[in-house]
Amino acid sequence: MRIFTTRPDTIFGVTFMTLAPEHELVTQITTPEQKAAVEAYIEKTAKRSERERMADVKTISGVFTGAYAEHPFTKEPIPVWIGDYVLAGYGTGAVMAVPCGDERDYAFANFFKGQAGMQEIKNIFANADISKEAFSSKDNVVIANSDFLNGLNYKEATKKVISELEKIGQGKGKINYRLRDAVFSRQRYWGEPFPVYYVNGLPQMIDAQHLPIILPEVEKYLPTEDGLPPLGNATVWAWDSVNNKVVNTNLVDNKTIFPLELNTMPGWAGSSWYWMRYMDAHNDAEFAGKEALNYWESVDLYIGGSEHATGHLLYSRFWNKFLKDKGFAPTEEPFRKLINQGMILGMSAFVIIVYIQLKIYK
């Protein structure tokens, strides 16, 4: 059973495993005694979308498969459950449940406490009270009741356990990069147009030699009356695949002239690489020449606020690394130094005291 976890340091706190109901192993490992209950649960879960399951953090449900996995170090039998809080498309679709260190595992273990296949919660954290809730913090962690990990902090224990798992061939360390999900299109006029046209409803890319595609003139920047983006108002916004140019929209025949994409790119499409354009702003052949890029390399100092941390900074680094891999960017990182100047969280008040001298005349 393959498990991906970000907390291998808690491996001695595992008291059960949870598989996504759709996991391929479920039908293979379920015992005859549990088959009816498992099948009924899978049928019930299939009626809910992954989005619903992710959003619903209050409902606790699951079924014991009757099967057990073997702990890689202690060789103890670990009961295997299925639960809809585990998604088949996330990680490996299976989790090692550590109730003392994870809130959802904690709630699951307490909900099914005393039932067949649910072991007692083990506390593997020194000086941590888990009587009311899990201890999920990585700070001030001291591992206990964990054999060769006892007395180690989070980083030390993580490094140590990965090394030991690799020695016995029961696991390996791996770095996963997770990007924030974002739709790369906007239903507005302003923005870079997509070099895409549609043939029988399927997107086709316009060859790079025919770029750039320039935004057409429109009389108004509002959506169309039937709800299409503003580019739906354009009279010259169709692609002539023979002459490779933008032509009048009323010429669309879906044979050689096709409709163009109506959405435009978001603001960060340009802000994710604009510093490179500054290095060679008058280059009409490419976004920046190699000579200019090699001379300027990366930005010496970036001054920005924390509001950019999960937007501009995240994607600018991702784009720069992508361009580096493709042989365009000369450096791995776009900025050499970052200074965060903080944010203004509220209004400031200045109190001005005026002293007035009064004189009384008789």
Side-chain angles (χ1 to χ4, degrees), residues 30 32 54 61 76 96 100 108 122 127 129 155 193 239 271 283 291 297 302 312 319 328 333:
T30 300
M54 289 175 65
S61 66
E76 292 178 276
M96 62 175 216
C100 68
F108 194 94
K122 298 178 182 178
N127 305 317
D129 180 13
K155 289 186 176 180
W239 184 250
S271 66
N283 190 330
E291 184 178 350
E297 293 189 336
Y302 180 100
H312 172 57
W319 281 48
F328 295 108
E333 294 288 344

Side-chain angles (χ1 to χ4, degrees), residues 56-108:
D56 186 4
V57 295
K58 295 182 179 180
T59 303
I60 300 174
S61 66
V63 174
F64 177 43
T65 65
Y68 291 83
E70 183 180 87
H71 193 286
F73 294 117
T74 67
K75 304 304 178 182
E76 292 178 276
I78 307 296
V80 181
W81 288 66
I82 60 173
D84 66 359
Y85 75 97
V86 181
L87 304 177
Y90 184 79
T92 61
V95 300
M96 62 175 216
V98 183
C100 68
D102 182 89
E103 286 296 338
R104 296 200 78 167
D105 294 342
Y106 186 88
F108 194 94

Side-chain angles (χ1 to χ4, degrees), residues 257-300:
I257 300 177
F258 304 93
L260 283 158
E261 171 63 55
L262 300 181
N263 288 346
T264 55
M265 298 185 195
W268 49 271
S271 66
S272 293
W273 64 277
Y274 71 91
W275 62 91
M276 295 184 181
R277 185 59 181 170
Y278 279 126
M279 298 175 186
D280 199 5
H282 300 293
N283 190 330
D284 294 328
E286 52 193 340
F287 71 93
K290 281 196 172 183
E291 184 178 350
L293 288 169
N294 290 332
Y295 175 79
W296 293 105
E297 293 189 336
S298 54
V299 176
D300 294 294

